[in-house]
Amino acid sequence: MPNAFAFNIPFVSIFLAMLTAIITPLIPVKAGIKNINKATLPERVTCCVIALIGVLSALLLFALNADEPISFRFMMGHFPAPWGNELRAGPLEAFLALAFSISMLLSLTGNFDATAYDISERRRPAFCVLVNLLMASLLALLYTNDLFTAYVFIEINTIASCAIVAVKEGGKAVRAALRYLVLSMAGSGLILISICILYDITGHLLMEPMHNAIINIINTGNYINPLTVALYLMTVGLAVKSALYPFASWLHDAHGSATNASSSILSGLVLKGHIFLIIKIFCRIFGIDIIHLLRMDTQLLIFGLLGMIMGSVHAIGQSEAKEMVAWSSVAQVGYIFLGIGLNSNAGIAAACLHVTIHAMIKPMLFTAVGGLSAAAGHKKGLHELMGTFYANRWAGIGFMAGACSMMGIPTFAGFASKLSLTMAAFESRAIIWALAALAASSVLNA
Amino acid sequence: MLNRLLLNHYEAAAVILSCIGLTNLLLQRNMIKKIIGLNIMDTAVYLFLAAKGYISGRTAPIYYLDANGEWVNQVQAYVNPVPAGLVLTGIVVSVSVTAFALALTLRLYEHYGTLNIDEALFLLEHKYELEYSSYNDDDELLYEFGVDNRDMIKAANEAASKSMNDKGGDEDHA
């Protein structure tokens, strides 16, 4: 058991983000201090809190690795297991929380200029509220052990992420946000129906009792059809939100027309929160044997492969730099679903590695594209960015590094995750298709 | 099969309603109709939950005095309270999402003078974006809800070209 301090970290970090979301609108934008780097006071407070959450997550990670039981449950409101609400923290959750807070911090600090250009000073506190709400809901999606709590935070996440698209002025962003909202609402409706069916056939909302009840259902053979329907609805709902290919038509629009900090956060983190929830539901509620029994793994594999190819094909066809980077997200989400679809320990580990690496690289790419387009006088077209490398060298280097990593060139981070995905594919029966698609997608990315 | 459907008629109705809602949400062109579809879908889920939580012959989980004047505090006297709690949370979530969607729809209308997302995309591609508070008279066809889409696009097209001509004329004048 970790010490009392580490034990409280999951709750405290969610609570801190929520609290900051409430107090940021109260902080005056024009304080006596001079605005450094065009960042207003609420933005600096937000950055400090996110850095603090990152430090806390790092402490939690160390505490969990030091002690023997490497995961623990935190009761919310002191009601014991089958009734109360719980948080659960393990090394993976702590590590992802650390990675998410670093990525969030860098996407905010790297884009202060673009944020100041796109969002008026009057609206900046509202922007900070949304960032903090997103942080809180992402942390809650990581740590929660209760399916209905997950649903509530999915909805908070939906509202905050649509609002963070619409916060940029102009009709294009509003239209993209509405389109995003409609598909997200359909997705969360499916998730809600699925949670209701699961609750009705298992009688639980916490993950461990639900897992035992589902094993019981499979053994006795009663209610297998509702269970299958619930699994498919849940997967489709979460796949819409995490932009698996056939459901990804909203992504390029929303991520391409938002301000740079929003695009970075949405593409790097919000998709990953939902993907991690899918991994959690597959591993902790159903278990990978039952997923295989209900044939969910093969379908995710097929859609993952489709996403890898089609995302890259669409990315090549784009004429705007940001939309191209956004379509490349669809391809990367395809890689992650390929890992989940392999349905082995190695595959899911590779998927988690790719989640982390993509959560780092995609914000970097968006930030670099933002830097380049600012150097070109806020133009967006690919051909208009020609020659801007000399105007903003750091953004150019960042873009090159990010692009190399996306292609999976050795010594860049993307290589590590692609290698582990390939190694996981070697253990599976679908190896030929997986390898062919990996190769094709790598070539297309290049 | 039919027997089971009749036995679970509340659940069957909930499933049909939620399918209607989802179809409306995805296929309607008008944003307001989409939002109504969302609400139908959510309400169907609440019906499903309420039907599942009800146990016939029992009452709401609140202490009450029976005929002998004694407090009833046996678990067997009450229906399952958890679905009611879930419905309550779901209603809160649905209200906030609806409010947010309506607010965004309002913004869309201010920018494009239309409630149709596809049409807004068309107007966007033709570089036709209304300024705040300048959406009054010259494109009144767009205000009519539920007109055949081709008519609307044609009208929008005319309005777009007209507006661009106007702007060009202004620049020449200046």
Side-chain angles (χ1 to χ4, degrees):
Chain A
M1 203 66 172
N3 56 26
F5 176 67
F7 188 68
N8 283 311
I9 285 177
F11 171 72
V12 167
S13 45
I14 297 172
F15 185 73
L16 258 182
M18 277 284 182
L19 190 70
T20 323
I22 296 169
I23 61 169
T24 34
L26 306 177
I27 303 172
V29 177
K30 285 178 180 159
I33 336 159
K34 192 169 159 262
N35 285 344
I36 315 159
N37 276 344
K38 297 185 185 173
T40 56
L41 194 55
E43 280 172 304
R44 272 180 278 161
V45 170
T46 306
C47 288
C48 291
V49 170
I50 290 171
L52 181 62
I53 292 172
V55 172
L56 286 176
S57 311
L59 287 177
L60 178 62
L61 187 58
F62 281 120
L64 285 174
N65 281 335
D67 295 327
E68 191 35 49
I70 57 168
S71 68
F72 64 85
R73 294 187 176 76
F74 180 84
M75 274 192 295
M76 306 281 292
H78 300 282
F79 286 105
W83 296 284
N85 196 344
E86 278 184 351
L87 298 178
R88 179 191 180 277
L92 180 61
E93 281 95 340
F95 176 66
L96 282 178
L98 174 63
F100 282 11
S101 35
I102 292 174
S103 175
M104 182 81 93
L105 185 64
L106 292 180
S107 349
L108 281 178
T109 47
N111 284 310
F112 277 148
D113 284 343
T115 314
Y117 179 79
D118 282 333
I119 302 170
S120 66
E121 205 167 59
R122 190 174 52 85
R123 282 192 180 183
R124 222 75 72 72
F127 178 71
C128 294
V129 172
L130 298 174
V131 169
N132 282 307
L133 274 182
L134 276 179
M135 191 72 210
S137 59
L138 282 171
L139 289 171
L141 286 182
L142 285 182
Y143 285 126
T144 183
N145 200 25
D146 178 292
L147 211 48
F148 203 76
T149 314
Y151 167 71
V152 173
F153 279 98
I154 285 175
E155 288 287 7
I156 294 178
N157 200 316
T158 303
I159 295 181
S161 49
C162 292
I164 213 172
V165 175
V167 79
K168 183 177 172 178
E169 268 126 43
K172 198 185 171 205
V174 172
R175 202 195 69 83
L178 257 181
R179 208 171 148 198
Y180 181 18
L181 185 65
V182 167
L183 279 168
S184 286
M185 288 192 300
S188 41
L190 296 181
I191 294 169
L192 181 60
I193 295 171
S194 159
I195 291 175
C196 294
I197 296 175
L198 278 178
Y199 174 71
D200 290 333
I201 58 179
T202 63
H204 292 285
L205 286 167
L206 282 181
M207 293 191 178
E208 281 80 18
M210 211 179 219
H211 179 56
N212 296 333
I214 284 176
I215 289 177
N216 199 18
I217 287 173
I218 295 286
N219 287 338
T220 56
N222 292 331
Y223 296 115
I224 284 200
N225 286 342
L227 185 71
T228 318
V229 170
L231 174 65
Y232 277 67
L233 285 179
M234 177 70 81
T235 314
V236 170
L238 283 171
V240 170
K241 286 173 172 285
S242 51
L244 185 57
Y245 170 64
F247 313 114
S249 58
W250 55 268
L251 183 133
H252 67 104
D253 213 2
H255 294 192
S257 55
T259 178
N260 286 327
S262 313
S263 314
S264 309
I265 293 169
L266 288 173
S267 216
L269 304 176
V270 171
L271 301 179
K272 304 306 173 318
H274 297 117
I275 289 174
F276 187 70
L277 192 62
I278 290 191
I279 294 179
K280 214 149 102 161
I281 285 169
F282 278 16
C283 296
R284 308 251 329 276
I285 295 188
F286 284 88
I288 52 180
D289 297 334
I290 295 175
I291 296 293
H292 185 64
L293 192 71
L294 300 178
R295 298 208 181 82
M296 195 69 237
D297 54 343
T298 325
Q299 320 216 1
L300 277 190
L301 192 72
I302 293 168
F303 283 121
L305 295 177
L306 198 66
M308 281 156 59
I309 308 251
M310 294 311 287
S312 307
V313 169
H314 278 287
I316 289 173
Q318 296 303 316
S319 58
E320 288 189 7
K322 272 181 88 172
E323 301 231 336
M324 189 179 76
V325 179
W327 268 113
S328 129
S329 277
V330 176
Q332 304 298 321
V333 167
Y335 285 106
I336 296 168
F337 273 98
L338 167 72
I340 301 173
L342 290 173
N343 208 26
S344 60
N345 287 339
I348 290 174
C352 289
L353 180 63
H354 202 74
V355 163
T356 321
I357 287 176
H358 189 239
M360 292 292 169
I361 292 169
K362 188 54 57 139
M364 182 169 97
L365 270 177
F366 268 116
T367 310
V369 167
L372 289 179
S373 90
H378 293 283
K379 284 175 184 147
K380 287 176 180 168
L382 265 180
H383 58 94
E384 288 160 334
L385 295 185
M386 218 180 271
T388 47
F389 178 79
Y390 298 101
N392 191 344
R393 275 169 201 274
W394 283 113
I397 292 170
F399 187 76
M400 292 301 289
C404 289
S405 187
M406 286 288 155
M407 282 184 265
I409 289 177
T411 73
F412 287 96
F415 178 66
S417 60
K418 280 195 184 178
L419 189 67
S420 55
L421 270 175
T422 319
M423 296 314 273
F426 268 117
E427 296 169 8
S428 137
R429 282 165 300 140
I431 169 173
I432 299 172
W433 291 108
L435 286 184
L438 268 173
S441 175
S442 294
V443 171
L444 284 173
N445 274 339
Chain B
M1 182 70 195
L2 192 66
N3 223 358
R4 277 201 219 166
L5 275 183
L6 284 177
L7 193 66
N8 294 321
H9 55 281
Y10 280 114
E11 286 83 347
V15 168
I16 294 169
L17 272 178
S18 72
C19 288
I20 293 174
L22 186 67
T23 319
N24 265 308
L25 177 62
L26 293 180
L27 298 183
Q28 287 286 356
R29 291 171 184 283
N30 188 311
M31 268 316 293
I32 304 289
K33 289 182 185 170
K34 272 183 194 286
I35 295 168
I36 291 173
L38 167 81
N39 277 292
I40 293 175
M41 186 163 81
D42 282 346
T43 317
V45 178
Y46 309 148
L47 174 64
F48 184 84
L49 270 175
K52 278 294 173 196
Y54 182 68
I55 305 169
S56 69
R58 302 192 186 179
T59 60
I62 304 169
Y63 277 14
Y64 66 96
L65 291 168
D66 63 2
N68 303 328
E70 287 182 25
W71 287 104
V72 177
N73 54 5
Q74 299 295 312
V75 175
Q76 287 76 20
Y78 300 121
V79 300
N80 184 0
V82 178
L86 300 187
V87 169
L88 211 60
T89 318
I91 288 174
V92 173
V93 167
S94 152
V95 164
S96 48
V97 172
T98 308
F100 179 62
L102 285 174
L104 272 185
T105 311
L106 200 64
R107 289 270 307 273
L108 184 82
Y109 190 77
E110 279 174 359
H111 279 288
Y112 295 105
T114 170
L115 291 171
N116 183 332
I117 300 191
D118 300 334
E119 198 184 293
L121 176 67
F122 179 85
L123 293 173
L124 185 73
E125 279 168 356
H126 290 255
K127 309 283 178 207
Y128 176 70
E129 191 174 319
L130 293 165
E131 297 297 318
Y132 273 90
S133 77
S134 70
Y135 52 96
N136 31 29
D137 43 22
D138 59 340
D139 41 11
E140 67 221 16
L141 264 175
L142 300 180
Y143 292 111
E144 304 228 342
F145 302 163
V147 184
D148 182 15
N149 193 46
R150 276 170 302 176
D151 288 351
M152 294 180 83
I153 286 184
K154 200 175 155 194
N157 199 3
E158 282 167 12
S161 56
K162 189 183 166 196
S163 136
M164 275 195 284
N165 289 341
D166 288 355
K167 278 181 189 164
D170 285 349
E171 276 163 17
D172 287 348
H173 200 69

